Amino acid sequence: MLHLAGTGLVVKLVLCVLVFFSVVSWAIIFFKLLQVYRANSESERFLDFFWKTKRFDGINSQLDRFTNSPLTVLFSEGYGELKRLVEKGDQKEELDVMSTELGGIENIARALRRATTSEITRLEKYVTFLATTGSTTPFIGLFGTVWGIMTAFKGIGETGSASLAVVAPGISEALIATAIGLVAAIPAVMAYNHFQYKIKVLIATMDNFSTEFLNIVQRTVTKK
């Protein structure tokens, strides 16, 4: 078993940095797994509820059932803008039979785009740390290994002995830095790719929902 107590200060600092990256990365992975899973599952449930419910006010009253879905934020922003347009135009009719100007439709579209951007930012939060971990920790570990090997060879020069018994412990301890760097990097890269795919699916779902929401509003306008 390797003893890290005998390693140099630089290698110890490198190992501490790598452990920090690894621990934070795993914390982010577990957090994002839960967040993305909830976002996907509740978005599916919300879409089923959305298409089964005929009235916007009825949907709005049940949004607290889908608090982890980004679609509820889009709906809330779009519905809120729709209500403001109705109130501004002194329309007292129900929202499913209201009429509005084309400029009002554009206001709703802007509200949906703002909400989409906000939700994308929320979903992508912390994911870049995984990319940073995956791209930098192997090199940090390699630096620790190179430094440790340099220290080992310096010791050889001072002792005048190059036997395997003298060289092997120092080099093997130095190689731990590279190993830990890879242990930190590989899960981070895999998790980053996984979350990027899942977030892209959610973005496509949000875009489709925004389009359908606007189509419903426009069809209502056309009827009137």
Side-chain angles (χ1 to χ4, degrees):
M1 183 176 178
L2 298 174
H3 299 283
L4 300 180
T7 59
L9 177 61
V10 174
V11 176
K12 288 178 181 177
L13 289 174
V14 167
L15 293 176
C16 288
V17 171
L18 292 175
V19 170
F20 167 79
F21 271 98
S22 182
V23 170
V24 174
S25 293
W26 278 107
I28 291 173
I29 288 170
F30 286 122
F31 170 73
K32 299 304 289 187
L33 280 173
L34 184 61
Q35 182 189 46
V36 172
Y37 170 77
R38 287 177 173 175
N40 274 302
S41 61
E42 293 194 14
S43 292
E44 293 177 0
R45 289 173 47 221
F46 175 76
L47 284 174
D48 290 338
F49 175 72
F50 178 84
W51 291 115
K52 290 177 181 178
T53 307
K54 304 300 183 181
R55 297 170 61 90
F56 279 177
D57 54 356
I59 297 172
N60 187 64
S61 65
Q62 298 294 321
L63 291 184
D64 56 350
R65 294 170 51 191
F66 315 97
T67 54
N68 294 298
S69 171
L71 300 184
T72 60
V73 178
L74 270 66
F75 177 84
S76 180
E77 291 295 322
Y79 179 73
E81 184 63 30
L82 191 60
K83 288 180 66 176
R84 283 190 289 272
L85 291 171
V86 171
E87 294 169 358
K88 183 178 179 181
D90 293 325
Q91 298 287 339
K92 303 302 182 183
E93 303 168 8
E94 296 293 342
L95 291 179
D96 57 349
V97 295
M98 58 78 65
S99 64
T100 187
E101 299 176 357
L102 185 59
I105 300 291
E106 183 57 33
N107 289 340
I108 297 173
R110 282 195 293 270
L112 291 172
R113 286 195 295 270
R114 287 195 302 269
T116 299
T117 301
S118 175
E119 286 303 293
I120 292 173
T121 301
R122 182 179 68 87
L123 290 169
E124 291 181 341
K125 190 175 182 180
Y126 305 129
V127 173
T128 53
F129 186 89
L130 298 177
T132 301
T133 299
S135 61
T136 60
T137 52
F139 295 103
I140 296 174
L142 182 60
F143 169 77
T145 295
V146 171
W147 190 277
I149 292 175
M150 289 170 57
T151 302
F153 277 107
K154 181 180 178 181
I156 292 173
E158 292 175 351
T159 60
S161 174
S163 64
L164 185 61
V166 174
V167 177
I171 293 179
S172 61
E173 288 174 355
L175 289 173
I176 293 177
T178 296
I180 295 180
L182 293 175
V183 168
I186 293 172
V189 171
M190 295 176 65
Y192 175 79
N193 292 331
H194 172 75
F195 293 135
Q196 283 294 100
Y197 170 74
K198 291 295 186 179
I199 291 172
K200 284 182 180 178
V201 172
L202 284 169
I203 291 173
T205 302
M206 287 188 283
D207 288 340
N208 291 335
F209 178 78
S210 297
T211 300
E212 293 297 336
F213 186 93
L214 288 173
N215 286 340
I216 292 172
V217 175
Q218 287 175 327
R219 286 198 299 268
T220 302
V221 173
T222 302
K223 288 181 181 180
K224 295 297 179 178

